């Protein structure tokens, strides 16, 4: 999505930084699972469909990071910063949960609260149908 979806690209104020992080994480996954055919297909597909991915993949950027600030741009809420954290379970280290948080009272917290509220309303409306 980071490389092929313009709407997702527009969410990141520093898209290049996000793209580098995604490529680095994908390289780490490929190193951990060299026989994984679905990863190989993903890399091949992205290389063909995105010249930006292909260039970053050639650069070999690897920057493992469990937590970092990410500046997002929402079409209606504007720009705000969240802390993106990647959490691994000791029982299942291959599964990663990515969460976004922000300090209480910050623009990021207000935006996340509004997005959560709207999403909950949407889910409730769908359930009632």
């Amino acid at each position: 999505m980071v490389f092929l979806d313009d709407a997702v690209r527009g969410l990141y104020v520093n898209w290049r930084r996000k793209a580098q992080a995604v490529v680095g994480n994908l390289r780490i996954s490929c190193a951990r699972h060299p026989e994984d055919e679905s990863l190989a297909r993903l890399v091949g597909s992205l290389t063909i469909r995105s010249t930006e991915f292909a260039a970053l993949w050639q650069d070999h950027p690897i920057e493992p990071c469990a937590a970092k600030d990410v500046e997002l741009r929402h079409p209606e809420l504007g720009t705000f910063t969240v802390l993106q954290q990647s959490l691994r379970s000791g029982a299942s280290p291959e599964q990663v949960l990515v969460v976004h948080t922000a300090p209480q009272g910050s623009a990021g917290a207000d935006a996340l609260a509004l997005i959560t509220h709207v999403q909950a309303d949407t889910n409730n409306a769908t359930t009632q149908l």
Side-chain angles (χ1 to χ4, degrees), residues 90-104:
S92 191
E94 296 304 317
Q95 292 184 343
V96 179
L97 173 66
V98 179
V99 296
H100 295 91
T101 60
Q104 187 173 0

Side-chain angles (χ1 to χ4, degrees), residues 1-12 15 18 73:
M1 291 178 7
V2 170
F3 290 95
L4 302 177
D5 187 328
D6 288 337
V8 171
R9 175 185 296 253
L11 290 175
Y12 295 96
W15 179 85
K18 177 64 177 176
R73 181 187 309 112

Side-chain angles (χ1 to χ4, degrees), residues 29-97:
S29 293
C30 288
R32 285 186 180 144
H33 306 284
E35 303 300 320
D36 190 318
E37 292 178 16
S38 62
L39 281 173
R41 282 193 302 274
L42 175 62
V43 170
S45 174
L46 287 170
T47 300
I48 291 168
R49 297 174 65 194
S50 169
T51 57
E52 292 159 317
F53 175 86
L56 288 171
W57 187 258
Q58 252 183 344
D59 286 344
H60 304 284
I62 298 178
E63 185 182 326
C65 182
K68 73 167 52 175
D69 285 332
V70 177
E71 195 173 8
L72 299 174
R73 181 187 309 112
H74 189 277
E76 295 172 12
L77 302 176
T79 300
F80 54 91
T81 301
V82 296
L83 176 63
Q84 178 180 298
Q85 295 175 287
S86 300
L87 309 171
R88 293 184 187 276
S89 164
S92 191
E94 296 304 317
Q95 292 184 343
V96 179
L97 173 66

